[in-house]
């Protein structure tokens, strides 16, 4: 922000070079720390070889993840810290339980759930995330382990930051019958946008079998440079609104009931896409919620008498559910982050619609699709506790 105050065009140099340096450090010093880190945690649960697991979740990677995610945010990258906390939490639990390989999958799962809970101060969302997204099943043998880890992470977060709702408390609700038309609209639009984002990121991660794909694979640092330049262009065209997580813009809009800029959602989506495919460490949780808020703000312009905040929440849950294809996690996390239990039913409906719509474009959630690339390098098996 200090640099932007001096010259907003400085990002044209700082961001590409920052992306390139982050990608270089990731490749050279912290391999497998790229991206959000959630696919690595999922893959680690399915691997049985300890050395293969340690390539994905270790204290070394956790340190690199924290440092490089912070560096990316300082450069203005459209990334979040929540996905990285999942890999960090999984890495810590892996280190604590490395002498009990049979328990490793459960410990990694617990660490990942604790990471989400601590990042957003959303203990219920952490538990649901562990069940729905990380394991894709309810495992009675690990339920107490997950709850224990979430409690420990929650108490630590409370001690350091106090009790808070991530986006503050919101009492916005859909009052009139006509306002409820926003639910399917947000669900479809958010699901389509989220599915498109996932499809692009998954396709880029798997690579192209053509000269362009081979050039990208052979020159990852220059691709990171180009991605950073693209994010900088998005930032300049958006009026410097899309840098970082998007948290401050969304919270301000929710607090004051003021709409986001009309182009915020589009440019935030583009910036997050370029950051996600660049190869630098950084999550997509917070940026996805910001994109969804932008989509909701745009849709709210067609519902003049409806509460803006309520439709923004619908946009947030819809886009997020479209990206991760975990509808329960989506509406639980948005409900906890805004302390708004009056919107539970509309958020549930929007999440389900978005999930179904997203699957028309991308038939698999982004995290599990990306995890397959890491699993293929090891020995996939059903995790046991």
């Amino acid at each position: 922000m200090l640099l932007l105050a001096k010259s907003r065009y400085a990002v044209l140099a700082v961001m590409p070079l920052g992306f390139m340096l982050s990608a270089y450090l990731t490749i050279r010093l912290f391999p497998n720390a790229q991206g959000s880190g959630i696919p690595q945690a999922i893959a680690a649960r399915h691997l049985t070889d300890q050395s293969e697991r340690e390539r994905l979740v270790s204290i070394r990677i956790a340190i690199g993840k924290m440092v490089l995610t912070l560096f990316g945010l300082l450069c203005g990258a459209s990334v979040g810290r929540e996905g990285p906390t999942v890999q960090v939490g999984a890495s810590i639990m892996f280190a604590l339980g490395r002498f009990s390989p049979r328990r490793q999958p459960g410990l990694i799962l617990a660490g990942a759930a604790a990471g989400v809970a601590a990042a957003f101060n959303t203990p219920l969302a952490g538990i649901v995330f562990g069940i729905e997204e990380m394991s894709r099943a309810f495992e009675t043998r690990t339920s107490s382990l997950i709850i224990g880890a979430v409690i420990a992470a929650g108490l630590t977060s409370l001690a350091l930051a106090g009790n808070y709702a991530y986006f503050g408390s919101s009492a916005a609700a859909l009052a009139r019958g006509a306002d409820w038309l926003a639910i399917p609209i947000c669900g479809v639009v958010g699901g389509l946008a989220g599915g498109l984002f996932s499809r692009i990121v998954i396709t880029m991660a798997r690579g192209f079998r053509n000269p362009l794909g081979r050039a990208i694979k052979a020159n990852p640092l220059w691709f990171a440079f180009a991605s950073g330049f693209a994010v900088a262009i998005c930032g300049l065209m958006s009026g410097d609104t899309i840098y970082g997580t998007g948290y401050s813009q969304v919270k301000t809009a929710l607090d004051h009931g003021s709409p986001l800029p009309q182009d915020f959602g589009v440019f935030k989506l583009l910036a997050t896409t370029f950051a996600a495919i660049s190869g630098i460490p950084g999550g997509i949780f917070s940026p996805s919620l910001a994109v969804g808020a932008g989509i909701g703000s745009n849709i709210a312009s067609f519902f003049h008498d409806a509460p803006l905040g309520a439709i923004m929440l619908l946009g947030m849950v819809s886009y997020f559910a479209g990206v991760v294809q975990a509808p329960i996690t989506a509406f639980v996390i948005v409900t906890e982050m805004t302390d708004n239990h009056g919107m539970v039913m509309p958020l549930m409906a929007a999440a389900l619609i978005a999930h179904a719509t997203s699957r028309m474009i991308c038939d698999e959630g982004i995290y599990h699709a990306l995890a397959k690339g890491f699993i293929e390098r090891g020995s996939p098996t059903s995790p046991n506790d």
Side-chain angles (χ1 to χ4, degrees), residues 223-245:
F223 182 70
F225 182 94
S227 298
F229 187 79
V231 175
I233 294 296
C234 289
L236 292 173
M237 294 181 68
S238 72
D240 304 328
T241 62
I242 55 84
Y243 301 125
T245 64

Side-chain angles (χ1 to χ4, degrees), residues 14 54 62 82 92 120 123 151 174 187 262 295 297 324 328 334-335:
V14 172
E54 194 167 7
E82 297 77 23
I92 293 172
F120 287 120
I151 290 173
L174 300 177
Q262 285 293 308
I295 292 173
S297 181
V324 302
I328 302 176
V334 172
T335 299

Side-chain angles (χ1 to χ4, degrees), residues 3-28:
L3 188 61
L4 285 177
K6 294 183 178 180
S7 173
R8 62 190 299 257
Y9 295 101
V11 296
L12 293 173
V14 172
M15 197 168 290
L17 292 174
F19 272 49
M20 177 181 272
L21 177 58
S22 181
Y24 173 79
L25 293 174
T26 301
I27 293 170
R28 295 287 295 179

Side-chain angles (χ1 to χ4, degrees), residues 173-190 296 299-300 302-304 306-307 310-311 314-315 318 343 346 349-350 353:
L174 300 177
R176 303 181 310 146
D179 296 348
W180 287 66
L181 291 174
I183 296 174
I185 295 175
C186 286
V188 171
V189 175
I299 293 174
F302 297 100
F303 295 84
H304 303 292
I311 300 183
L314 291 174
S318 297
M343 282 287 291
I353 294 171

Side-chain angles (χ1 to χ4, degrees), residues 218-273:
N219 301 278
L221 299 185
W222 285 111
F223 182 70
F225 182 94
S227 298
F229 187 79
V231 175
I233 294 296
C234 289
L236 292 173
M237 294 181 68
S238 72
D240 304 328
T241 62
I242 55 84
Y243 301 125
T245 64
Y247 168 79
S248 60
Q249 293 88 338
V250 175
K251 191 174 189 308
T252 299
L254 289 173
D255 286 345
H256 301 287
S258 56
L260 290 163
Q262 285 293 308
D263 58 6
F264 176 82
V266 173
F267 283 120
K268 189 64 176 174
L269 173 57
L270 290 173
T272 305
T273 302

